Amino acid sequence: MVDDSNLTKRRRQRAVTLMTGAGLDALAFVPGPNFLYLTGLNFHLMERPTLLILDRGGDITAIMPALERLKWSTAFPHATTFYWQDSDGFESAFADAAAALGAVSVGVEGGRMRMFEYDALRNQLKDGAVSNADTALAVLRMVKDADEIALLEAAIAISEVALEETVEAVRPGMTEKQVKSFLESRMLANGADGFSFDPIVLAGGKAANPHGTPDDTSLKPGDAMLMDFGARIGGYNADITRTFFVGHVRDEHADIYGVVKSANAVGRDIAIAGMTAHDLDTQVTARLRDSPFADLIVHKTGHGLGLDVHEAPQVMIGNRQRLDPGTVITIEPGLYRAGDVGVRIEDDVVMTAEGARSLTGFDRHLRVIG
């Protein structure tokens, strides 16, 4: 996505449909996944406010720092754009943009827009004109096209090669940080643009913290080693978790692993386009609850995946969102006992009318390494 293509125009028309349905006159986006999705351009979210405003006619108004003039004007030469210099400040650009828009109701990304951008926009529009449009925008990127799925598959393929290379190199005595560093190097060596997020490598009792931080903890025989990571390609993110055991595995830990593996299989087996996120979570979690380890459940089944690592839909109880064909989600049941063990098995799947197609294929059988 590098220019104002027919693809990004179609995506903006989808956003127009969503804003109309929400009773809004315009949508405002700061740099991030939606900005990239709608324009093909990747800007940094930094101290200089940068704003894309899309109206019901599909027209674009933009507020741009002057140093981004060449990048923006090359792709969008006909957009109504208000540039501002560091030396002058951005207030006048917001005022001029508001005057050009007129009396409009503007929906913003409530989960991403910062207060100083929100205030700058709200101060120039009438009271009540700016509102949180996250509910309407939640489905904007939910259904992936073939090109998006291909990028996700490329990111996943790199991740899985790197994971196998890393697992083969792991030995007792290595630290979590050493394993993480090796995994990162293998993702880059195999072609990753970067990482979906800072990889998680946790050993022993630390694996019971689902989003813990790797440190100098050494791997010991009998430890679980939980690895949650992903490569990024073309802006799209893999998100994979596998749990291994170092040297040997205790019987109870093997039983916990078996329950998580079974729950993961339930999710991949029953997921099908048209079911709700609630129903999928309920059935996967039921497998965990029906085990002797029900007290070790701490999180939902999964989440949407794409330009964001965590995006709509959230696969959780109470979310009645239908999982339409092309929706990509994670299925990642887990069980965690503080100070003892954590096990999570996470796969990335795309919903189809025939069922869920797993984009991840890394082996899920219990594996003792080192």
Side-chain angles (χ1 to χ4, degrees):
M1 295 184 290
V2 296
D3 62 3
D4 189 24
S5 64
N6 288 331
L7 175 61
T8 54
K9 290 176 182 176
R10 290 196 300 273
R11 290 173 174 177
R12 292 200 296 276
Q13 188 54 52
R14 190 181 309 154
V16 168
T17 300
L18 293 174
M19 85 170 74
T20 303
L24 296 167
D25 299 315
L27 292 168
F29 302 92
V30 295
N34 282 333
F35 198 118
L36 173 62
Y37 186 77
L38 295 170
T39 66
L41 298 177
N42 192 15
F43 289 95
H44 295 298
L45 188 64
M46 54 182 177
E47 76 278 8
R48 299 180 177 96
T50 304
L51 210 63
L52 167 74
I53 303 171
L54 180 68
D55 66 25
R56 284 197 181 198
D59 295 322
I60 290 174
T61 300
I63 297 171
M64 283 282 156
L67 83 168
E68 304 288 12
R69 181 186 294 268
L70 180 60
K71 179 178 179 179
W72 176 254
S73 63
T74 299
F76 290 90
H78 304 300
T80 301
T81 305
F82 299 93
Y83 295 100
W84 60 274
Q85 291 277 3
D86 289 345
S87 57
D88 300 327
F90 55 80
E91 290 82 0
S92 62
F94 275 81
D96 292 342
L101 290 167
V104 293
S105 57
V106 180
V108 302
E109 302 169 282
R112 185 170 295 274
M113 180 175 281
R114 299 167 298 185
M115 280 300 298
F116 91 112
E117 293 141 338
Y118 173 78
D119 285 342
L121 188 62
R122 186 185 58 179
N123 290 342
Q124 300 298 334
L125 297 171
K126 63 183 178 64
D127 290 343
V130 183
S131 61
N132 184 357
D134 272 352
T135 299
L137 289 171
V139 298
L140 176 63
R141 306 192 324 265
M142 198 171 77
V143 174
K144 272 61 179 180
D145 60 33
D147 290 339
E148 291 178 286
I149 292 171
L151 287 169
L152 285 166
E153 288 181 305
I156 289 165
I158 288 170
S159 304
E160 293 187 329
V161 170
L163 178 58
E164 181 59 37
E165 292 173 342
T166 301
V167 168
E168 290 177 359
V170 168
R171 296 291 182 270
M174 292 179 69
T175 68
E176 295 169 341
K177 287 168 65 175
Q178 287 172 332
V179 176
K180 173 192 168 187
S181 178
F182 190 91
L183 176 62
E184 290 173 331
S185 71
R186 297 319 304 161
M187 283 192 280
L188 293 174
N190 283 290
D193 295 339
F195 312 127
S196 304
F197 51 91
D198 199 27
I200 298 170
V201 177
L202 301 171
K206 286 188 62 187
N209 182 355
H211 286 168
T213 302
D215 60 20
D216 291 323
T217 298
S218 296
L219 277 64
K220 304 184 302 298
D223 278 352
M225 185 182 72
L226 186 151
M227 303 174 71
D228 186 351
F229 72 105
R232 186 178 69 249
I233 288 289
Y236 285 81
N237 301 286
D239 188 7
I240 303 170
T241 306
R242 290 294 186 268
T243 307
F244 307 94
F245 291 88
V246 180
H248 63 85
V249 57
R250 288 164 42 187
D251 289 345
E252 188 182 37
H253 290 176
D255 291 343
I256 291 171
Y257 188 95
V259 170
V260 173
K261 179 173 175 285
S262 175
N264 172 278
V266 166
R268 288 181 291 107
D269 289 344
I270 67 168
I272 189 167
M275 77 184 309
T276 68
H278 168 91
D279 288 340
L280 179 55
D281 180 84
T282 299
Q283 294 184 63
V284 172
T285 303
R287 177 65 188 92
L288 302 177
R289 293 195 187 284
D290 291 342
S291 78
F293 309 109
D295 60 321
L296 307 185
I297 302 169
V298 300
H299 61 69
K300 63 182 185 285
T301 292
H303 53 81
L305 181 69
L307 288 170
D308 266 323
V309 179
H310 282 239
E311 60 183 41
Q314 302 306 315
V315 185
M316 62 185 296
I317 289 174
N319 182 8
R320 307 288 177 173
Q321 175 70 53
R322 275 172 30 106
L323 304 176
D324 292 329
T327 302
V328 176
I329 60 171
T330 66
I331 295 176
E332 50 178 303
L335 293 172
Y336 311 87
R337 178 182 289 145
D340 180 29
V341 69
V343 174
R344 181 165 68 254
I345 303 173
E346 177 180 21
D347 286 291
D348 307 334
V349 307
V350 58
M351 307 298 289
T352 78
E354 292 74 40
R357 177 169 72 88
S358 185
L359 305 178
T360 40
F362 198 94
D363 188 60
R364 303 173 188 89
H365 290 98
L366 190 153
R367 183 171 173 181
V368 175
I369 62 176

